């Protein structure tokens, strides 16, 4: 199934969301800012892999770097719910142990991905939601922030527009130059293990309590050393109904498809058949990376062991 391609000792990919992102809509300054933020995220994860660290640590670090940037819809810069809350979802999974941790509709936590990692490492559970997730963050001593830390003027404007038009809005849907997105990372480390992490503020003007695909293991995030690590982005309702992340793994496990074949089928046939726009990033056990999307663009970056980092935004 793998032919004779040489495995990559380690590799990592990140995304900053898929959607209507067109070259003609993005002026040079914001484009530079996105490229720098994506480079920083790749570098945060790649440095860990390069020093012999685990895929799990690498994806957590890459996603935390994007949560700290207000350019993306995760952590700082997350979108608003209809009633002006910021409720975040995040998930992380280890492909070696199949341990997973996730948090849903959590407020105030500076880095939801670090909280998901604590759920994985330090709780007997896989998923914590809302007030219970926040209490767990307090118990774990993780940094909390006031609403103003997360909220940006751009997000407030976006909410006003979405409320006026009475629509829930995927981050990149309205054609505007400054679109941001859900973030994710996948990695294969030097010991051959895979991991995936995803973090998001969800979709603008969502109902309070709405949970997307990102924190649902198997929907927006999944990792299994036997197949792949994957992080999805797009309208979560479709990715949940397609059980997209696990489906990618199943296409490889049960149909013996390569990562590229499985990802193409999922992103260009199965998801569009449901009406699902978006994309994913994924790594396989040989460290190969794919970053397909069926939308106009997807913020993305990747790096193979010993090679230079790559950043791309448009088709
Ligand atoms: N999948 C995310 C959600 O529906 C949104 C995104 O990927 O931008 O919550």
């Amino acid at each position: 199934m793998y032919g004779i391609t040489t495995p990559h000792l380690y590799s990592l990919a990140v995304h900053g969301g898929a959607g209507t992102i067109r070259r003609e809509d993005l002026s040079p300054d914001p484009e530079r800012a996105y490229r720098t933020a994506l480079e920083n995220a790749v570098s945060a994860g790649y440095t860990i892999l390069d020093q012999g660290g685990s895929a799990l640590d690498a994806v957590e670090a890459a996603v935390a770097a994007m949560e700290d940037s207000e350019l993306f819809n995760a952590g700082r810069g997350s979108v608003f719910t209809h009633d002006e809350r910021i409720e975040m979802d995040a998930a992380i999974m280890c492909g070696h142990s199949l341990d997973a941790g996730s948090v849903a509709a959590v407020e105030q936590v500076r880095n939801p991905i670090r909280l998901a990692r604590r759920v994985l490492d330090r709780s007997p559970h896989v998923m914590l939601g809302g007030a219970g997730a926040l209490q767990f963050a307090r118990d774990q001593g993780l940094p909390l922030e006031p609403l103003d830390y997360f909220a940006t003027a751009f997000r407030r404007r976006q909410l006003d527009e979405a409320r006026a038009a009475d629509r829930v809005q995927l981050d990149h849907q309205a054609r505007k130059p400054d679109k941001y997105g859900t973030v994710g990372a996948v990695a294969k480390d030097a010991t051959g293990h895979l991991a995936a992490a995803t973090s998001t503020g969800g979709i603008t003007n969502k109902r309070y309590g709405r949970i997307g695909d990102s924190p649902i293991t198997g929907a927006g995030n999944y990792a299994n050393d036997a197949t792949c690590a994957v992080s999805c982005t797009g309208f979560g309702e479709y990715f949940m109904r397609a059980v997209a992340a696990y489906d990618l793994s199943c296409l490889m496990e049960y149909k013996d498809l390569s990562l590229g074949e499985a990802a193409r089928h999922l992103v260009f046939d199965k998801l569009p058949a449901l009406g699902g726009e978006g994309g994913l990033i994924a790594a396989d056990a040989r460290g190969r990376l794919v970053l397909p999307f069926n939308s106009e663009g997807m913020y993305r970056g990747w790096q193979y062991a010993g090679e230079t980092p790559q950043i791309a935004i448009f088709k």
Side-chain angles (χ1 to χ4, degrees):
M1 147 177 158
Y2 287 117
I4 53 164
T5 51
T6 320
H8 300 277
L9 187 56
Y10 46 91
S11 56
L12 170 126
V14 304
H15 72 76
T20 307
I21 310 160
R22 297 162 176 227
R23 191 181 295 277
E24 59 268 31
D25 294 336
L26 197 62
S27 51
D29 281 349
E31 182 177 341
R32 258 194 303 279
Y34 279 115
R35 287 183 178 275
T36 303
L38 289 164
E39 269 162 25
N40 291 343
V42 170
S43 162
Y46 183 86
T47 305
I48 289 173
L49 297 176
D50 201 38
Q51 292 169 349
S54 71
L56 199 60
D57 287 345
V59 294
E60 179 185 342
V63 165
M66 290 186 280
E67 287 177 338
D68 290 340
S69 162
E70 59 178 54
L71 290 180
F72 302 105
N73 171 21
R76 179 174 221 172
S78 286
V79 299
F80 282 103
T81 64
H82 180 74
D83 52 352
E84 292 177 37
R85 294 165 184 248
I86 287 187
E87 293 187 341
M88 299 167 287
D89 299 337
I92 190 164
M93 185 162 185
C94 170
H96 175 52
S97 61
L98 302 183
D99 284 333
S102 73
V103 293
V106 68
E107 298 177 90
Q108 294 179 48
V109 175
R110 187 197 295 172
N111 289 110
I113 199 63
R114 298 215 187 276
L115 181 58
R117 178 71 189 268
R118 294 295 174 96
V119 173
L120 185 156
D121 285 340
R122 301 193 192 172
S123 88
H125 307 301
V126 166
M127 189 170 191
L128 291 178
L134 178 56
Q135 185 56 50
F136 185 63
R138 285 202 181 94
D139 296 346
Q140 292 291 315
L142 290 179
L144 304 182
E145 302 288 351
L147 185 65
D148 281 353
Y149 167 85
F150 301 97
T152 62
F154 169 70
R155 294 301 187 195
R156 286 202 184 273
R157 272 202 313 280
Q158 233 184 6
L159 175 65
D160 291 343
E161 283 167 19
R163 280 203 296 214
D166 194 23
R167 62 166 189 251
V168 287
Q169 181 174 305
L170 183 63
D171 199 20
H172 316 292
Q173 239 173 8
R175 215 172 297 149
K176 284 274 182 77
D178 41 359
K179 288 294 165 283
Y180 324 130
T182 287
V183 305
V186 295
K188 182 226 165 198
D189 63 31
T191 63
H193 298 319
L194 298 175
T198 307
S199 180
T200 187
I203 51 180
T204 297
N205 201 23
K206 66 184 181 181
R207 276 189 77 100
Y208 135 66
R210 179 268 187 186
I211 293 166
D213 60 317
S214 308
I216 297 178
T217 299
N221 198 75
Y222 188 71
N224 184 340
D225 280 3
T227 53
C228 62
V230 51
S231 169
C232 301
T233 173
F235 215 103
E237 277 67 10
Y238 297 102
F239 285 75
M240 283 188 268
R241 289 164 54 211
V243 200
Y246 186 60
D247 195 46
L248 184 73
S249 173
C250 287
L251 286 166
M252 296 177 71
E253 185 173 358
Y254 302 131
K255 283 193 103 179
D256 211 24
L257 298 190
S258 70
L259 178 66
E261 290 166 341
R264 272 194 299 279
H265 181 55
L266 181 61
V267 172
F268 298 110
D269 300 331
K270 289 186 91 166
L271 282 165
L274 281 178
E277 192 192 60
L280 58 83
I281 55 171
D284 70 10
R286 306 207 13 133
R288 281 177 307 191
L289 303 168
V290 295
L291 305 90
F293 52 95
N294 61 33
S295 46
E296 299 274 348
M298 182 168 80
Y299 295 106
R300 58 204 190 276
W302 65 98
Q303 189 166 10
Y304 289 105
E307 298 184 13
T308 50
Q310 307 291 322
I311 303 297
I313 298 176
F314 312 106
K315 247 184 203 150

